[in-house]
Structures are given as C-alpha cells and as structure tokens.
Amino acid sequence: MDTNMKKILFLLAILPMIVFTACSDDDKDLNEYETQLVGTWQEVTEYAREVFNVEFKSDKTGYQWAENNGEIDRDGKEYFIWSATKDKISITLDENGSASFSYAIKGSKLYISSEDETIIYARK
C-alpha cells in the first residue's frame, strides 16, 4: 500500500472522531425553539440614535445592551440567563429579577412583546 493511500485511510478512520468531538455540548440542552434564537439581534428602528441589541448564547446565557450613535451606552452590557418555549421567552437578570415575554420569529425578524409594546429585531 502506498503512502498516499495510507494517509487517505488514516483520515477516513479519524474523521468520525473529529466530527463527534467538534459538536458542542452547549447545544444539547437547547430545544428546537431555543436553537432558533441563538445569535445576536439588533433592534429594527427608525431612530438612529439609540438601538437595542440582544445576544442569546447556546449555553443559555446572554447579554442585552443599547448603543447610542454606534457606541455601547454607559450602562454597558447586562448579563442574563434565558430559556424559551414555542412562544414565550424567559429572561433572568442578575439584579432585576426575571420576566417572560411573548415572541415570534418570522423570516429573519424577531418580535418580542410585553403587554403594551413590541420590539422588532433583525439577526445581526
């Protein structure tokens, strides 16, 4: 057997190990709805001055922050823990307790609603 053939067989033998170790354990606890939320979202707004952002990480932590004229405002990023079902997202903030919101994803837009307000985000 020539050297090139041995290299190919070696690569084929270790490929399953690479594929299985490359998968993150963080994603195993996400349900199908949470998987759709993972990523960074930016508010779709007509106001150029202040824009809200939210990042949902696959380990069910995240950050929310506002940007004023493209810079993160003085309050910085606020850490949270999150989970989601088909139409509700629950967020627990370190200092401010927890809250649940209705949400929907339509195309590349995320709609998060409280009782009297809906904020529309686009995937960043």
Side-chain angles (χ1 to χ4, degrees), residues 7-55:
K7 287 180 184 177
I8 292 170
L9 288 175
F10 175 75
L11 290 173
L12 289 174
I14 66 166
L15 184 62
M17 290 185 286
I18 294 170
V19 170
F20 287 116
T21 58
C23 297
S24 170
D25 286 341
D26 293 342
D27 294 341
K28 71 179 181 179
D29 295 327
L30 295 178
N31 63 41
E32 64 184 286
Y33 310 110
E34 292 167 334
T35 300
Q36 296 175 23
L37 286 164
V38 171
T40 303
W41 301 83
Q42 185 173 57
E43 178 185 20
V44 176
T45 181
E46 295 177 13
Y47 306 107
R49 186 163 184 254
E50 184 175 61
V51 178
F52 292 97
N53 297 271
V54 63
E55 179 181 5

Side-chain angles (χ1 to χ4, degrees), residues 72-114:
I72 296 175
D73 74 3
R74 68 176 185 267
D75 294 331
K77 292 185 175 183
E78 186 173 21
Y79 173 83
F80 62 82
I81 298 170
W82 69 280
S83 64
T85 62
K86 182 179 179 181
D87 58 358
K88 293 280 185 195
I89 185 164
S90 298
I91 294 176
T92 303
L93 301 167
D94 282 344
E95 300 171 6
N96 299 324
S98 61
S100 289
F101 303 95
S102 298
Y103 83 95
I105 296 176
K106 297 176 185 173
S108 63
K109 300 279 176 32
L110 169 62
Y111 299 79
I112 297 181
S113 303
S114 62

